[in-house]
């Protein structure tokens, strides 16, 4: 899974080179590298969280309905972050609360993810649910169906 983090780091490295002039372009000296954010949907949202957590160049992030795939050692995030979850996640969460004692891997992962979300809130971040939405409502897929 670290390949996704490396992909984001590569892009930021290239943006830095564009800004410095190491890569010739019209963007030299025009990019605000002090205000980089990461945002993604689904797996991209999980990548946005992971990369925001680990890369000091990223100052804020948004995860749109992405289940986290790396939850170990992700306890304290000290920069702005927002989780936007679908209404169906809220329904799933209600079922989780009723069956919290299950010791399967999915339950453990969700429990760890909820712990991270609570930490994000306690450090000034946000977790919101968009009522009546499903996972793919955060994409433009419905415009093509």
């Amino acid at each position: 899974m670290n390949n996704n983090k490396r992909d984001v780091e590569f892009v930021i490295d290239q943006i830095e080179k564009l800004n410095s002039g190491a890569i010739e372009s019209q963007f030299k000296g025009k990019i605000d590298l002090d205000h980089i954010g990461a945002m993604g949907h689904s797996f991209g949202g999980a990548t946005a969280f992971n990369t925001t957590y680990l890369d000091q160049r990223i100052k804020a992030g948004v995860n749109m309905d992405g289940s986290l795939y790396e939850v170990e050692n992700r306890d304290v995030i000290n920069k702005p972050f927002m989780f936007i979850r679908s209404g169906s996640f809220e329904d799933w969460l209600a079922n989780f609360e009723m069956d919290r004692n299950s010791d399967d891997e999915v339950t453990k992962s969700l429990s760890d993810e909820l712990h991270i979300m609570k930490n994000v809130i306690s450090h000034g971040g946000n977790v919101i649910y968009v009522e009546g939405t499903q996972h793919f409502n955060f994409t433009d897929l419905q415009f093509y169906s």
Side-chain angles (χ1 to χ4, degrees):
M1 301 292 180
N2 278 335
N3 286 339
N4 299 313
K5 178 181 156 297
R6 285 195 294 261
D7 288 344
V8 175
E9 290 171 343
F10 173 79
V11 170
I12 295 171
D13 291 345
Q14 298 308 300
I15 291 170
E16 287 176 338
K17 289 176 183 176
L18 288 169
N19 195 56
S20 72
I23 297 175
E24 199 172 313
S25 81
Q26 62 186 341
F27 297 107
K28 182 178 180 182
K30 296 179 181 175
I31 302 171
D32 183 356
L33 297 172
D34 292 328
H35 294 94
I36 295 174
M39 179 172 132
H41 169 254
S42 195
F43 196 71
T47 299
F49 175 78
N50 196 41
T51 311
T52 300
Y53 190 89
L54 296 171
D55 193 318
Q56 294 308 308
R57 298 173 296 179
I58 300 174
K59 303 300 191 245
V62 178
N63 174 341
M64 296 185 298
D65 214 34
S67 294
L68 301 182
Y69 55 84
E70 289 191 43
V71 292
E72 298 295 319
N73 301 315
R74 300 287 186 270
D75 286 339
V76 178
I77 186 165
N78 59 357
K79 45 185 117 169
F81 200 86
M82 177 184 282
F83 286 93
I84 303 174
R85 302 308 302 250
S86 66
S88 58
F89 181 84
E90 195 171 26
D91 296 340
W92 198 54
L93 187 56
N95 291 334
F96 167 76
E97 292 293 337
M98 289 186 298
D99 192 26
R100 184 180 284 273
N101 295 326
S102 173
D103 59 347
D104 66 12
E105 192 173 321
V106 172
T107 302
K108 167 84 171 90
S109 179
L110 182 58
S111 180
D112 291 344
E113 184 170 342
L114 292 173
H115 177 72
I116 288 169
M117 291 166 78
K118 286 177 184 173
N119 281 333
V120 163
I121 292 168
S122 71
H123 287 87
N126 288 292
V127 176
I128 64 170
Y129 300 96
V130 182
E131 220 175 285
T133 59
Q134 299 291 320
H135 185 66
F136 285 105
N137 287 121
F138 296 101
T139 72
D140 56 5
L141 183 64
Q142 59 268 17
F143 296 116
Y144 296 104
S145 60

